[in-house]
Amino acid sequence: MTSRPGTPAFTPAPAERTRPELRGTFGMAASTHWLATATAQSVLERGGTAVDAAVAAAFVLHVVEPHLNGPGGDLTALVAPAGEHPFVLAGQGAAPARATIEHYRSLGLDEIPGAGPLAAAVPGSVVAWLHLLATRGTWEVRDVLAPALGYARDGHPVHDSVVRVITTVAPLFEEHWPTSAAQWMPEGEIPAPGDLITNEAWAAVLAGLLRAGESAGSRESRVHAAIDGWHRDVGAAIEEFVREPVQHSLGGALPGVMTAADLAAYAPAEEPPLTLTFRGVDVVKAGPWSQGPVLLQALAILDARAARHGGAVLDPSTALGVHTVTEALKLALADRDSWYGDPAHVDVPLDDLLSPSYAAERADLISDTASRRVRPGRPGGRTPWQPPQRPAGDAPAAALPGSGEPTLDRSGRQRGDTCHLDVVDRQGTMISATPSGGWLQSSPTIPSLGFCLGTRLQMAWLDEDAPSRLAPGIRPRSTLSPTMLMRDGRVIEALGTPGGDQQDQWQLLYLLRRIVGGYEPQQAIDAPMFHTDAMVASFEPRTVQPASLTVESRLGEDVIAELRARGHEVTIMGQWSLGRLSCVGVDPERGWFYAAANSRGAQGYAAGR
């Protein structure tokens, strides 16, 4: 992808790359953990499809990145079968039947906790992956789950990032969540990096899923039998466990509300994606129950801004470009907080939000200095709902160290991330998936299952007027936001990143460098990253910092000085600290596949041939 004719040259991409961009003609995989990437590639090598490979890798991620995702979590994926238009696999569970505003208010809560069972939506990850395997895969459940089962039963070398998280939440486990201490601190000891750790309870659950389908007739019926086993056995265990009060992040011990019936009622959805054309490339995203439209809105605003002020405003390596991109993101994220929600239950004005006229109207709000206000728009003349705006300095101290989001904290320090994986097979089927939730620090471990529940409900509001309100059967708005790119009707790339509220911000920088600047994938991933916290945070304590801008130091002293002169409150991070992007793709003209992965965090890898 190269810049269109007449576009001023971007800051040149550095000749050096942290890693080679992989190219080949067989298939490619990339993810946030090398064991998941290797698993996906091994499936391709043995004749599996991209679907088989992605499902196998995703179950491995549950085991090897337990601080970032788990079986009790959720996922958002874009799936493009060879020769077909992509669709959204919505693995986001809804609020349980007893999760009502009235009930939470009766418990003395003004907001939804960021940790503990009351924050849990119905687990969607496992069923969504198995549904995809049944409908689009070719392998048996036994073969797809074998790598994850092996790592859970026999152990894998624990990464130091997992150890850091366990160390942080050890006091919580010891004082309030003894079942988590038993799983993650065997014999009262925190594991050391490189120790082999196992999860025997989860291994037993996986083995049970295999047994559930052994007597069924067809491959598809065997997969569905495993899903039925999950609903039956796992649902009962969750319902029994959450009856007992446990410590929540807002103080006090309270029981959860989830039941086996909630799990049985869940089914993943296959939905049409949203698409916006930017400089000849169709950018494909999930709907407004995710934050995917933020990326599309930001691109539309920037395109409108560039039409009036020139292409230089799009260069994220200059002070002008960083300023313009940041201000566009603030506007798009303000609309997210005021308008996005589950479109099955909320009227989201997407046509207006993504229209060229609305983008131009929003672009005109960008000035030469940093905005210090949260400014949602009025698409179609509507009046926006506005969430509470709590300054970071007024945030209450979190009662539990595991509450909130496992990514950058508000001072910019790294705590973890979500997960991501991309796969393309030799037929051209492509998948981009962002699994998350159910991380080990989010809720007490259910001892018979070996995993805990997620905390996605913390993104909902206890306000009937909110588009992302708490109500039974409504999906909370998710931050999970994979991306695909199309040209001339063909999918050419799958990409994404962990990062909560930063996911679409970091992807925006990547796309500008790729589509307008002509960077190669690895160059775009390696380039300096930045983001803002000017939106209402999706995770507890849900603060807002209207003028904030967090940058990697590699952005340069002169650029940073000019940004501060423009009014941005700049936090400088380490040279290689922001972003976890990876991608796979195909070059239609030259006929080869490619893959690239982020070196930050020393964990993500790409593989292929």
Side-chain angles (χ1 to χ4, degrees), residues 558-576:
D558 292 344
V559 172
I560 292 171
E562 183 176 336
L563 290 168
R564 285 177 167 154
R566 288 176 177 267
H568 296 278
E569 296 176 358
V570 180
T571 298
I572 303 175
M573 297 289 291
Q575 295 186 57
W576 299 93

Side-chain angles (χ1 to χ4, degrees), residues 248-265:
H248 282 68
S249 61
L250 298 177
L254 296 169
V257 296
M258 195 172 298
T259 67
D262 292 319
L263 269 76

